[in-house]
Amino acid sequence: MPQWRLWCKRPKTLCEKEEVIIGAILTQRTNWKNVEIAIKNLKKARLCSLKKIYLKGEKNLYPLIKPAGFFQRKANYLYTLSCFVLKKYKNLKNMKKEKTEILRKELLSLKGIGPETADSILLYALEKPIFVIDEYTRRLAKYYKISKNLSYHHLQEIFEKGLKKSVPLFQDFHALIVEWGKKNNV
DNA sequence: CACCAGGCCCTAT
DNA sequence: ATAGGGCATGGT
């Protein structure tokens, strides 16, 4: 599964959205190539879904997601998140109905989910108009001297205020920033 | 062989 | 409040 499927194209089906969630955690401080291998393993084992992860337990993820690095932690993070989603909301469809601010707080309270991961999930899987700040966004801001203050919240405000509040726009914009960063090796 | 990759948690000041 | 170490693998 090439990278563009996760970050450059808008995930449509619930299945694709769950894959985005899993990918968002697996890619923490890790090369995307390694995440691709891990997701391929998960798919082959029919475990690329929150429900399956919940049913199977975290230890079973170890050998599958090993290529993505930090595998014990990430397995735990995936399991924690799966538990939360299933117990509180049953599925993504229900979860989407909840208010954005509440979802963000809930996600941030989970182990292994910080601002970037939370916002990726909100924007790509739950289709909430939240702008994702990541390493590439930060590099862009530095390169074009958009702001001296590179803190997460500050950058997020700049982008959200400067753009029309639109989910597909935020999705594509962020994806393009990543592409720009990779292409120019900034 | 050394260094890097789209974080986040925990602990010590 | 904020700095620094730890987590682990595959690619170059």
Side-chain angles (χ1 to χ4, degrees):
Chain A
M1 174 214 32
Q3 162 176 358
W4 54 263
R5 261 199 76 194
L6 270 188
W7 300 103
C8 299
K9 199 183 153 199
R10 309 168 191 163
K12 295 196 311 276
T13 65
L14 285 181
C15 210
E16 285 171 345
K17 286 171 185 166
E18 296 209 3
E19 194 177 316
V20 167
I21 294 178
I22 292 166
I25 288 179
L26 290 181
T27 198
Q28 289 173 359
R29 190 65 193 173
T30 299
N31 190 315
W32 183 256
K33 275 271 185 226
N34 294 10
V35 178
E36 270 190 349
I37 304 171
I39 290 194
K40 205 185 293 175
N41 289 342
L42 286 172
K43 283 190 161 171
K44 210 176 287 175
R46 305 246 160 221
L47 274 178
C48 198
S49 105
L50 300 182
K51 189 161 195 173
K52 297 283 182 49
I53 289 172
Y54 171 68
L55 293 175
K56 274 287 188 171
E58 52 183 297
K59 293 256 162 77
N60 284 301
L61 299 178
Y62 285 179
L64 302 172
I65 67 168
K66 207 165 197 171
F70 309 129
F71 63 92
Q72 301 190 55
R73 289 193 171 196
K74 287 176 180 176
N76 180 251
Y77 297 165
L78 285 171
Y79 182 72
T80 306
L81 177 61
S82 300
C83 285
F84 170 76
V85 173
L86 290 180
K87 284 185 182 158
K88 173 103 200 249
Y89 294 106
K90 283 291 212 188
N91 55 51
L92 284 188
K93 215 170 168 182
N94 278 331
M95 194 172 178
K96 274 175 69 166
K97 295 177 191 156
E98 183 62 274
K99 284 222 295 248
T100 307
E101 310 82 65
I102 300 200
L103 287 172
R104 190 167 198 274
K105 259 181 212 145
E106 286 176 342
L107 287 170
L108 286 175
S109 77
L110 299 175
K111 205 162 139 186
I113 300 201
E116 182 187 332
T117 311
D119 289 344
S120 298
I121 292 172
L122 288 169
L123 178 62
Y124 286 98
L126 300 171
E127 296 174 305
K128 304 289 187 185
I130 297 278
F131 201 88
V132 178
I133 304 300
D134 58 11
E135 188 53 33
Y136 285 111
T137 320
R138 225 164 253 130
R139 286 178 203 168
L140 181 93
K142 228 187 274 181
Y143 186 86
Y144 288 112
K145 303 190 183 3
I146 289 172
S147 160
K148 280 201 171 173
N149 182 351
L150 296 179
S151 80
Y152 195 95
H153 184 67
H154 184 71
L155 282 181
Q156 191 167 45
E157 260 192 350
I158 290 178
F159 281 96
E160 292 193 358
K161 281 189 176 152
L163 295 169
K164 198 182 99 190
K165 201 168 183 176
S166 148
V167 171
L169 175 65
F170 282 9
Q171 290 178 337
D172 292 349
F173 205 103
H174 174 249
L176 287 172
I177 291 176
V178 175
E179 211 170 283
W180 172 85
K182 290 202 184 262
K183 204 166 281 176
N184 297 304
N185 210 5
V186 177

